[in-house]
PDB file of all heavy atoms in Angstrom:
ATOM      1  N   MET A   1      37.119-150.902 241.642  1.00  0.00           N
ATOM      2  CA  MET A   1      37.385-149.535 242.063  1.00  0.00           C
ATOM      3  C   MET A   1      38.665-149.471 242.804  1.00  0.00           C
ATOM      4  O   MET A   1      39.187-150.430 243.342  1.00  0.00           O
ATOM      5  CB  MET A   1      36.215-149.025 242.949  1.00  0.00           C
ATOM      6  CG  MET A   1      34.900-148.949 242.264  1.00  0.00           C
ATOM      7  SD  MET A   1      34.817-147.747 240.939  1.00  0.00           S
ATOM      8  CE  MET A   1      34.932-146.235 241.900  1.00  0.00           C
ATOM      9  N   THR A   2      39.239-148.261 242.889  1.00  0.00           N
ATOM     10  CA  THR A   2      40.518-148.044 243.530  1.00  0.00           C
ATOM     11  C   THR A   2      40.420-146.841 244.423  1.00  0.00           C
ATOM     12  O   THR A   2      39.652-145.853 244.175  1.00  0.00           O
ATOM     13  CB  THR A   2      41.704-147.892 242.541  1.00  0.00           C
ATOM     14  OG1 THR A   2      42.852-147.625 243.257  1.00  0.00           O
ATOM     15  CG2 THR A   2      41.378-146.792 241.565  1.00  0.00           C
ATOM     16  N   ASP A   3      41.227-146.778 245.494  1.00  0.00           N
ATOM     17  CA  ASP A   3      41.261-145.593 246.332  1.00  0.00           C
ATOM     18  C   ASP A   3      42.280-144.600 245.881  1.00  0.00           C
ATOM     19  O   ASP A   3      42.413-143.536 246.491  1.00  0.00           O
ATOM     20  CB  ASP A   3      41.642-146.080 247.775  1.00  0.00           C
ATOM     21  CG  ASP A   3      40.468-146.936 248.382  1.00  0.00           C
ATOM     22  OD1 ASP A   3      39.314-146.692 248.019  1.00  0.00           O
ATOM     23  OD2 ASP A   3      40.820-147.806 249.197  1.00  0.00           O
ATOM     24  N   ARG A   4      42.967-144.921 244.799  1.00  0.00           N
ATOM     25  CA  ARG A   4      44.030-144.002 244.356  1.00  0.00           C
ATOM     26  C   ARG A   4      43.378-142.701 243.790  1.00  0.00           C
ATOM     27  O   ARG A   4      42.340-142.732 243.136  1.00  0.00           O
ATOM     28  CB  ARG A   4      44.826-144.674 243.176  1.00  0.00           C
ATOM     29  CG  ARG A   4      45.899-143.748 242.645  1.00  0.00           C
ATOM     30  CD  ARG A   4      46.752-144.430 241.602  1.00  0.00           C
ATOM     31  NE  ARG A   4      47.694-143.545 241.001  1.00  0.00           N
ATOM     32  CZ  ARG A   4      48.611-143.882 240.091  1.00  0.00           C
ATOM     33  NH1 ARG A   4      48.595-145.088 239.615  1.00  0.00           N
ATOM     34  NH2 ARG A   4      49.447-142.967 239.592  1.00  0.00           N
ATOM     35  N   VAL A   5      44.100-141.572 244.066  1.00  0.00           N
ATOM     36  CA  VAL A   5      43.633-140.270 243.611  1.00  0.00           C
ATOM     37  C   VAL A   5      44.561-139.837 242.462  1.00  0.00           C
ATOM     38  O   VAL A   5      45.797-139.882 242.624  1.00  0.00           O
ATOM     39  CB  VAL A   5      43.669-139.206 244.733  1.00  0.00           C
ATOM     40  CG1 VAL A   5      43.321-137.835 244.135  1.00  0.00           C
ATOM     41  CG2 VAL A   5      42.672-139.587 245.797  1.00  0.00           C
ATOM     42  N   TYR A   6      44.037-139.518 241.346  1.00  0.00           N
ATOM     43  CA  TYR A   6      44.787-139.142 240.158  1.00  0.00           C
ATOM     44  C   TYR A   6      44.775-137.605 240.092  1.00  0.00           C
ATOM     45  O   TYR A   6      43.716-136.975 239.789  1.00  0.00           O
ATOM     46  CB  TYR A   6      44.279-139.731 238.878  1.00  0.00           C
ATOM     47  CG  TYR A   6      44.349-141.230 238.836  1.00  0.00           C
ATOM     48  CD1 TYR A   6      43.357-142.049 239.382  1.00  0.00           C
ATOM     49  CD2 TYR A   6      45.473-141.840 238.348  1.00  0.00           C
ATOM     50  CE1 TYR A   6      43.441-143.409 239.359  1.00  0.00           C
ATOM     51  CE2 TYR A   6      45.623-143.270 238.364  1.00  0.00           C
ATOM     52  CZ  TYR A   6      44.547-144.043 238.871  1.00  0.00           C
ATOM     53  OH  TYR A   6      44.634-145.376 238.847  1.00  0.00           O
TER      54      TYR A   6
END
Side-chain angles (χ1 to χ4, degrees):
M1 298 294 291
T2 178
D3 294 329
R4 179 176 176 180
V5 176
Y6 296 89

